[in-house]
Amino acid sequence: MYWHMILLLLSIFKEGICFENSKVNIAIVGGGIGGASSSHFLTELFKNNVNIDLYEANTLGGRLATVQINDNEFEAGGSIIHPKNKYMQDFVKLLGLEHKLSHGKRNSIWNGDKIVYEESEWKILSLAKFIYKYGIEPFKLERYVTSIRRNFEKIYELQDAGKSFTSITSFLSTINPEFPNSLKTSIEDKLLNLGYSEKLIDELVKASLVVNYGQNTDIHSFVGFISLAAADANLWSVKGGNKKVPEHLIYRNKHVNVVSSRVMKIVNIETNNTQNLYEVHYSNQDSTIVMKSTYNIVILAIPLTTDQKFLINFEGFPRNDFYNMEKYHDIIVTFVQGDLKPYYFGLGEELSAILSCNPNKTIVNSIGRLDSVEGTIEDKVWKIFSNKPLKTNIIKEMFSNIQEIKQVTWKAFPEYSTRIHEAKFKLHNALYHVNAIEWIASAMEMSSISGRNVALLAYKDFLKTVCFRETVQKNFEKICSEEIMQTRDENTPSSEL
């Protein structure tokens, strides 16, 4: 009997044993890169024994989106991808998409009064000017940022080994015990303590933070280093638009059903066993009829802050305070087709990128000339990032021969500080949150890493609960039956055999 029980316990941990003949029902709320990557990794882990309903109230892609000007499309959301972003590289290869390398741009840094640094057409001259102004500090900082990035890349090995994390602190501390401290120290204080000059911080570092996150050097140092890592010369995007990655991950997955609806409420259904059941209430935007479906697992791939447009009501949970009081940062993206006026910025000629290191005075965070998602650069189309909507008269002061203006507003990423709350990937027994990782840093790769993390969490939790219960019940009944038959045989007189 005891050997039977040992074999039974060992059998529980054989992957997939309890859903060979039935599929797991999963709801994913949010069709951005976080939701798309979650659906991909879940399908792999459950070996296709899964039904996924993906709820998206707007359009697939989330903050990966494009705008059309004339006959061309331009990136309106997440625009650049680092060459070392493993999952984004893997997705592009898997989906048969193409890379579009960023064209070389002449950059300048503007403080509102003057241009504090301007690149030359000649690389050797630009390098000489750069060293003359900042010395070797930028190169030391680049090496330091590279060491942090390489250290962080341990996450890929950890996830390949099946490691998962329930909170951002456990996530970071497993990679490097010192990483959680970076959430409590501003990038300014961190760099000053490392001996870097105020000039470097106030100009180069601040310009990076302003263009990438619209925020200042008081944000925590980890997101600051992520921003600085984006200064790599080999940045790329997806030809045809970065939104193609989540779109194709979702539409090409035959186990994913897209539900074009807004989720209104999620109810935790009490059961008499260890299995979790969640009821998702949803409605089409053009309808007042509320429908509902039941799931074993629910994954939220949306921000959980109270400043979002649509809020979900959580019902029947021991704790319903899944929303935190922090906020997401508003970024206004303005597209202008026209001619830049160099003299407005104190320039003698038109450059392809102007970065602000003092957005309170410059009004804008950055201005950059665009190429289309297909790589064409025929039209003079400029993208302007700002923290507030730009008035028409300001745009006319910066541009002439204006043919078209379009504006897009995003709640783009968290308002970063050094007061980061303990964001959790696991909210309840089988309720998970992909966007928790954004409190570490917001980027396409970070969302993809988090998508795999919640997929691993959900899979392992499912094995430990549902599979344990079903396997024990099934095998225990079998073992008991065998033991009864064996005992009966032993006690039966030989004459009756």
Side-chain angles (χ1 to χ4, degrees):
M1 176 71 173
Y2 297 110
W3 286 108
H4 283 307
M5 291 305 297
I6 291 171
L7 291 172
L8 164 64
L9 291 173
L10 289 173
S11 73
I12 290 167
F13 298 99
K14 289 183 179 179
E15 296 182 357
I17 191 169
C18 67
F19 44 89
E20 288 176 347
N21 299 316
S22 62
K23 294 193 175 184
V24 184
N25 292 315
I26 300 177
I28 297 177
V29 184
I33 186 62
S37 60
S38 298
S39 68
H40 169 75
F41 290 120
L42 283 164
T43 304
E44 282 190 338
L45 287 165
F46 281 99
K47 296 179 173 58
N48 299 318
N49 291 299
V50 65
N51 291 318
I52 299 174
D53 285 342
L54 189 143
Y55 292 87
E56 175 54 60
N58 298 305
T59 56
L60 293 182
R63 284 167 281 172
L64 303 185
T66 60
V67 300
Q68 185 165 336
I69 297 177
N70 290 336
D71 296 327
N72 291 317
E73 285 187 81
F74 300 88
E75 295 285 4
S79 302
I80 56 173
I81 305 169
H82 195 278
K84 296 297 183 181
N85 286 171
K86 179 182 184 302
Y87 291 148
M88 291 302 293
Q89 294 276 20
D90 289 348
F91 291 153
V92 167
K93 183 178 180 180
L94 172 71
L95 299 170
L97 300 173
E98 297 181 47
H99 290 67
K100 182 176 77 69
L101 295 176
S102 299
H103 290 97
K105 293 183 177 181
R106 287 181 60 193
N107 297 310
S108 62
I109 300 175
W110 181 42
N111 67 7
D113 292 322
K114 61 180 181 178
I115 297 292
V116 297
Y117 174 73
E118 177 184 344
E119 286 185 334
S120 169
E121 289 184 358
W122 305 95
K123 288 186 178 180
I124 188 66
L125 182 56
S126 290
L127 180 61
K129 290 170 63 177
F130 193 68
I131 294 174
Y132 178 78
K133 184 171 180 63
Y134 300 108
I136 63 169
E137 275 194 327
F139 305 101
K140 289 171 57 180
L141 180 57
E142 182 183 18
R143 288 196 296 272
Y144 185 75
V145 172
T146 299
S147 70
I148 291 175
R149 176 183 58 74
R150 287 175 176 168
N151 207 328
F152 181 76
E153 287 169 2
K154 292 176 183 176
I155 186 59
Y156 300 123
E157 293 181 11
L158 291 168
Q159 291 192 320
D160 284 345
K163 185 70 176 174
S164 59
F165 313 91
T166 59
S167 69
I168 61 173
T169 298
S170 62
F171 175 90
L172 286 176
S173 61
T174 304
I175 300 171
N176 185 325
E178 294 300 316
F179 275 177
N181 293 328
S182 64
L183 303 182
K184 303 174 185 177
T185 306
S186 72
I187 186 67
E188 181 176 15
D189 289 343
K190 179 68 175 179
L191 293 179
L192 286 173
N193 290 336
L194 289 171
Y196 290 96
S197 67
E198 291 186 3
K199 179 193 287 188
L200 178 85
I201 296 169
D202 289 341
E203 294 179 3
L204 292 182
V205 175
K206 189 178 289 187
S208 165
L209 301 178
V210 170
V211 67
N212 288 317
Y213 290 106
Q215 295 168 67
N216 214 318
T217 52
D218 57 351
I219 68 176
H220 68 72
S221 57
F222 197 92
V223 72
F225 290 130
I226 292 291
S227 178
L228 290 168
D232 192 283
N234 298 309
L235 299 174
W236 60 282
S237 57
V238 179
K239 190 172 183 179
N242 293 327
K243 67 180 182 181
K244 284 186 174 292
V245 173
E247 285 178 350
H248 285 246
L249 281 176
I250 292 167
Y251 283 134
R252 293 191 189 186
N253 190 334
K254 65 181 180 180
H255 302 285
V256 176
N257 170 49
V258 177
V259 184
S260 300
S261 298
R262 172 193 166 193
V263 172
M264 319 282 288
K265 181 167 63 174
I266 298 174
V267 181
N268 176 35
I269 302 174
E270 295 291 340
T271 61
N272 295 324
N273 50 50
T274 57
Q275 185 175 3
N276 296 287
L277 289 176
Y278 298 115
E279 202 171 67
V280 173
H281 295 231
Y282 59 98
S283 175
N284 296 330
Q285 292 201 13
D286 299 330
S287 173
T288 57
I289 300 173
V290 176
M291 296 163 282
K292 58 186 178 182
S293 297
T294 304
Y295 301 94
N296 306 105
I297 296 167
V298 174
I299 291 174
L300 302 174
I302 54 173
L304 287 179
T305 54
T306 55
D307 60 343
Q308 300 299 315
K309 184 177 180 181
F310 299 130
L311 300 183
I312 298 172
N313 181 31
F314 294 93
E315 205 174 275
F317 293 88
R319 293 182 59 186
N320 288 351
D321 56 343
F322 299 139
Y323 283 95
N324 64 71
M325 300 308 294
E326 304 292 337
K327 295 181 178 180
Y328 265 53
H329 189 85
D330 288 325
I331 285 290
I332 289 80
V333 188
T334 304
F335 296 86
V336 178
Q337 185 178 9
D339 295 320
L340 189 73
K341 295 179 180 178
Y343 54 84
Y344 177 87
F345 308 94
L347 291 167
E349 60 181 328
E350 180 184 289
L351 297 186
S352 51
I354 301 168
L355 312 180
S356 169
C357 62
N358 185 6
N360 291 329
K361 192 163 189 176
T362 61
I363 304 175
V364 301
N365 299 344
S366 66
I367 298 176
R369 186 172 175 181
L370 298 179
D371 52 355
S372 75
V373 295
E374 298 294 340
T376 58
I377 53 174
E378 293 85 358
D379 298 321
K380 281 196 172 183
V381 177
W382 302 80
K383 178 194 278 187
I384 308 171
F385 287 125
S386 61
N387 291 330
K388 294 180 179 179
L390 296 179
K391 295 180 179 179
T392 304
N393 64 308
I394 294 293
I395 297 174
K396 289 182 177 179
E397 288 179 17
M398 297 179 178
F399 295 90
S400 62
N401 302 320
I402 298 172
Q403 298 176 48
E404 190 169 0
I405 299 173
K406 284 188 176 180
Q407 284 194 345
V408 179
T409 301
W410 296 108
K411 285 199 175 294
F413 25 69
E415 287 279 6
Y416 291 109
S417 68
T418 54
R419 307 183 309 275
I420 297 298
H421 67 289
E422 177 63 317
K424 296 184 181 300
F425 298 108
K426 184 174 180 177
L427 303 177
H428 189 247
N429 296 336
L431 177 67
Y432 308 92
H433 186 214
V434 177
N435 294 59
I437 203 166
E438 290 198 273
W439 296 100
I440 299 174
S442 180
M444 284 176 261
E445 186 72 1
M446 294 296 282
S447 293
S448 302
I449 289 170
S450 190
R452 189 176 188 189
N453 180 57
V454 298
L456 286 165
L457 272 174
Y459 179 66
K460 290 194 290 186
D461 286 346
F462 189 85
L463 289 181
K464 285 188 294 186
T465 55
V466 178
C467 291
F468 183 93
R469 177 180 57 80
E470 293 185 3
T471 305
V472 168
Q473 182 177 352
K474 178 181 176 182
N475 287 277
F476 187 75
E477 289 174 355
K478 181 180 178 182
I479 289 170
C480 287
S481 176
E482 291 174 354
E483 290 292 333
I484 290 170
M485 292 300 296
Q486 182 179 347
T487 303
R488 184 178 296 167
D489 291 341
E490 291 173 354
N491 295 333
T492 301
S494 59
S495 61
E496 294 183 14
L497 292 178

